[in-house]
Amino acid sequence: MQLETIVTEIDECIMLITLNRHKTLNALNQKMAEEIISSLREADKNEEVGCIIITGSEKAFAAGADIKEMRENSFSEMYQLDWFAQWDGISQIRKPIIAVVSGYALGGGCELALMCDFILASKTAKFGQPEISLGIMPGIGGSQRLSRIIGKSKAMEMCLTGRLMDADEAEKTGIVARIFTQETLLDEAKEIAKKIASFSKPAVQMAKESINRSYETSLSEGLRFERRLFHAMFSTADQKEGMSAFIEKREANFTNK
Ligand code: DAK
């Protein structure tokens, strides 16, 4: 597929997806949603890829859904086209996805970052759900994922006032895993992605699946699910290799089997 709104590159074991609508601060339109989801699916199928990075520009990860594209839409158009339902596809991606955020991550841009497995940010990052100032509300998880991460009070305050949160506060509240300088952010992110990709793919994917399950089930069900996956890992060659390598004081050579 000829990509118009993103650039993708495979760097060793990482698929790097760079949002590429810089003039509009990477505003998310329908085309971009389709291209991101289809690239993620491709990465998921590609045996070389062990981890995926989604990033934007220095000024903006993404400043939200494209206001110009949707302004004139009617309710029936939004409903019948099921506008932005394709974003749900991100939750079916089994390989880890890291959002690497500099500058603005607003509205749908903040929600896209929150759909990823974790967020690495530069000191310039600003997160927000400013939809309220446009006469709308968050629509791809902002009112759901954000409140589960930062709690009701802060999520309410952000969604009802549109206030932006800086990188330090985002790290303190758990939106962001780690902060780096602008200059080193992408290199640090690639190192982290390569580390993840160096481990057993089944182990990485089961760990991701298990953490995600915790958001959708009771603690006792979640613990049972985790234990079953843990037991299942003892059927993999990588479990034998990982434990043997430790005992033999050598590097593990995982084969994803
Ligand atoms: N959409 C379209 N264009 C945008 C944009 C956006 N979200 N954000 C920025 N741009 C464009 C600007 O219009 C401007 O274009 P030109 O005027 O040069 O043609 C260019 O990017 C540069 O922006 P600024 O000139 O405004 O740059 P500044 O540095 O002065 O300000 C800013 C940066 C990020 C503070 C500002 O651009 C801004 O406030 N942007 C809008 C932020 C925002 O309100 N974001 C939320 C968008 S609404 C749905 C689910 C979810 C959603 C929709 C539907 N369904 C389930 C159906 C999500 C909705 C949203 O995200």
Side-chain angles (χ1 to χ4, degrees):
M1 184 191 358
Q2 184 70 29
L3 298 172
E4 288 170 22
T5 64
I6 60 172
V7 174
T8 64
E9 158 195 354
I10 295 192
D11 177 1
E12 292 179 35
C13 44
I14 307 166
M15 180 181 268
L16 179 65
I17 299 179
T18 307
L19 311 187
N20 192 29
R21 298 189 74 219
H22 297 266
K23 284 192 187 138
T24 61
L25 306 185
N26 290 326
L28 310 170
N29 61 11
Q30 291 283 29
K31 183 85 183 151
M32 195 190 258
E34 280 155 25
E35 291 186 354
I36 291 174
I37 302 297
S38 87
S39 302
L40 289 172
R41 289 192 177 129
E42 215 179 277
D44 228 15
K45 275 193 246 144
N46 185 336
E47 285 183 12
E48 273 176 43
V49 174
C51 194
I52 303 158
I53 290 176
I54 302 182
T55 193
S57 68
E58 206 172 310
K59 180 162 178 185
F61 176 73
D66 191 328
I67 300 167
K68 292 166 192 163
E69 184 185 55
M70 66 187 165
R71 178 177 62 157
E72 296 299 339
N73 287 358
S74 65
F75 163 73
S76 61
E77 282 163 339
M78 294 299 262
Y79 182 78
Q80 289 185 80
L81 295 170
D82 209 0
W83 201 264
F84 276 179
Q86 62 270 54
W87 287 114
D88 289 346
I90 293 194
S91 61
Q92 279 137 32
I93 302 300
R94 303 180 76 196
K95 289 181 183 163
I97 310 171
I98 307 173
V100 173
V101 175
S102 280
Y104 297 109
L106 306 182
C110 183
E111 292 167 307
L112 170 59
L114 294 173
M115 279 183 247
C116 296
D117 295 310
F118 61 92
I119 302 174
L120 302 174
S122 76
K123 290 177 191 299
T124 65
K126 287 188 184 62
F127 297 85
Q129 298 290 160
E131 292 91 339
I132 202 75
S133 66
L134 301 170
I136 56 169
M137 59 172 278
I140 36 177
S143 68
Q144 304 301 304
R145 289 194 184 89
L146 195 62
S147 51
R148 282 167 168 79
I149 296 166
I150 66 176
K152 175 182 166 183
S153 189
K154 275 205 180 272
M156 282 282 187
E157 190 232 353
M158 282 183 76
C159 294
L160 300 185
T161 68
R163 176 177 76 87
L164 307 192
M165 199 184 251
D166 67 19
D168 286 334
E169 189 181 358
E171 189 191 26
K172 273 190 213 120
T173 54
I175 291 179
V176 161
R178 292 176 67 187
I179 302 176
F180 297 100
T181 63
Q182 174 61 49
E183 297 70 40
T184 59
L185 175 65
L186 191 56
D187 286 340
E188 295 279 4
K190 285 182 178 175
E191 283 310 306
I192 292 168
K194 280 180 193 161
K195 183 161 188 77
I196 293 171
S198 74
F199 296 129
S200 160
K201 284 196 179 73
V204 165
Q205 290 178 20
M206 282 191 230
K208 165 172 168 160
E209 191 180 352
S210 190
I211 292 169
N212 282 335
R213 182 60 75 98
S214 74
Y215 286 95
E216 291 178 4
T217 192
S218 65
L219 179 61
S220 58
E221 277 306 313
L223 290 170
R224 209 185 330 270
F225 181 78
E226 179 190 63
R227 196 158 58 241
R228 289 293 169 257
L229 284 184
F230 187 89
H231 292 159
M233 282 175 175
F234 282 72
S235 66
T236 67
D238 284 345
Q239 172 268 323
K240 299 288 176 288
E241 168 62 11
M243 292 192 176
S244 301
F246 172 79
I247 292 163
E248 292 159 18
K249 299 188 189 303
R250 61 172 174 81
E251 285 283 306
N253 177 24
F254 295 119
T255 55
N256 307 316
K257 300 258 163 41

